Amino acid sequence: MVDMLLVAKREVKMGFRNPWAYSFLILFCTCSLSLLLIDSQNFVQGYSGTTGSMLNLILYLLPLMTLFLGSFSLTSEKEEGSWQLLSTYPIGTMSFIVGKYLGLTVVLITIVAFGYGLMGIIGGVISSALNVTTYLLFLAFSCGLVLLFLTVALFIGSISKNRWQALTISVSVWFFAVIGWPTLLLAILGIVPYLWVKPLLVVLTFINPAELVRLFVVIKLGGGSVLGPEYYQWVTWVQQPSGSWIFLMICLLWITCSVLVVYGIWERGRSHG
């Protein structure tokens, strides 16, 4: 536990010294103020075209930002030789991975919280703040994207040898998970037998963190009907009182499994030198 906290503390210090973090902070604040500007022109409550545009704006930016910061953090450990040095000390691989995850989470959530805080303050001053429920769902949407995509970033950083490789894989993953996902989904579901469509759709939704979080927030905003009757019937569990807890458990399972995979990759590399 002590080792894990030391790694997390070191990661927070390195994260706030990283110029990339401040570049993304400025970018996210610009995004937040753009959302506020959109809201000032159209009152945003529940799911609508405006809300969907705002969700897409966050969906494009946050996963890419998380993938870059997370994967670069691990590849820099390899390029600069920090991991080779750390592995000579009696520090567990799991403590290292979880400490990295916690430290990066603090840095990224701070960026997100600063952006939403700025939006809330300015919105309050000009009397154009978002509806409280919508505001909290947007905040949950952003935090969910960060927490899930950070595990993907750690995986990319684990299999990449340098920053350029991590950059290439991160952009590819972001493109397929966020931009190309609807086309990919239609292409795959169009060639499988009808009976396989629903089970396969469920599996594909769970393996894409962007789609998983987006689906939850869209339904919570009352926009589940846009998904189609059969799909909407499957996701009615989100609207139940226990829906939020089930979603949290799924996210926790997602994070745990991903961290275990990353741990396996680093442990294998450590044992093989």
Side-chain angles (χ1 to χ4, degrees):
M1 180 61 80
V2 176
D3 295 340
M4 188 192 304
L5 293 177
L6 285 174
V7 173
K9 190 177 175 183
R10 173 175 170 267
E11 191 59 38
V12 172
K13 283 184 181 177
M14 290 172 63
F16 285 118
R17 289 175 186 167
N18 188 348
W20 281 78
Y22 293 98
S23 302
F24 283 128
L25 176 64
I26 294 170
L27 198 58
F28 190 72
C29 287
T30 306
C31 171
S32 303
L33 294 178
S34 300
L35 299 182
L36 191 62
L37 196 60
I38 293 171
D39 178 56
S40 67
Q41 296 167 6
N42 299 283
F43 180 66
V44 177
Q45 187 172 15
Y47 187 78
S48 64
T50 307
T51 317
S53 301
M54 294 166 78
L55 286 175
N56 285 334
L57 194 59
I58 297 170
L59 193 60
Y60 291 149
L61 177 61
L62 270 181
L64 190 63
M65 185 173 88
T66 306
L67 288 173
F68 280 169
L69 287 180
S71 60
F72 286 3
S73 174
L74 282 185
T75 48
S76 64
E77 297 281 359
K78 298 177 188 176
E79 288 183 302
E80 295 167 6
S82 306
W83 170 241
Q84 285 81 356
L85 179 63
L86 282 174
S87 53
T88 61
Y89 290 88
I91 178 172
T93 306
M94 184 57 84
S95 299
F96 174 74
I97 297 297
V98 177
K100 277 275 182 186
Y101 181 81
L102 293 177
L104 285 164
T105 299
V106 170
V107 174
L108 286 162
I109 294 295
T110 301
I111 292 173
V112 170
F114 187 88
Y116 276 98
L118 186 65
M119 182 170 73
I121 291 170
I122 295 178
V125 170
I126 63 174
S127 302
S128 180
L130 284 172
N131 171 270
V132 175
T133 305
T134 308
Y135 182 85
L136 291 176
L137 278 173
F138 270 76
L139 182 61
F141 177 63
S142 304
C143 291
L145 287 176
V146 166
L147 293 174
L148 294 182
F149 269 95
L150 190 52
T151 60
V152 181
L154 293 182
F155 175 76
I156 294 171
S158 301
I159 62 173
S160 303
K161 294 179 181 175
N162 51 54
R163 287 184 180 91
W164 281 112
Q165 204 172 47
L167 177 71
T168 307
I169 300 175
S170 295
V171 172
S172 303
V173 170
W174 172 80
F175 179 81
F176 283 110
V178 177
I179 303 290
W181 185 252
T183 308
L184 196 65
L185 205 61
L186 287 174
I188 294 174
L189 296 179
I191 58 174
V192 299
Y194 181 75
L195 289 177
W196 293 9
V197 171
K198 190 174 177 180
L200 193 58
L201 185 61
V202 173
V203 172
L204 290 174
T205 301
F206 280 122
I207 64 173
N208 184 352
E211 186 64 13
L212 182 63
V213 180
R214 189 185 72 85
L215 188 71
F216 176 77
V217 174
V218 167
I219 294 170
K220 281 292 183 184
L221 285 170
S225 56
V226 300
L227 303 170
E230 291 190 8
Y231 198 57
Y232 184 57
Q233 191 179 4
W234 170 63
V235 292
T236 47
W237 59 269
V238 176
Q239 294 178 317
Q240 295 171 3
S242 59
S244 298
W245 290 108
I246 294 173
F247 175 73
L248 287 176
M249 290 302 294
I250 293 170
C251 290
L252 190 60
L253 182 65
W254 215 101
I255 292 169
T256 305
C257 293
S258 303
V259 167
L260 287 174
V261 171
V262 174
Y263 164 75
I265 295 171
W266 279 81
E267 187 63 21
R268 186 173 182 275
R270 191 174 189 175
S271 60
H272 287 73

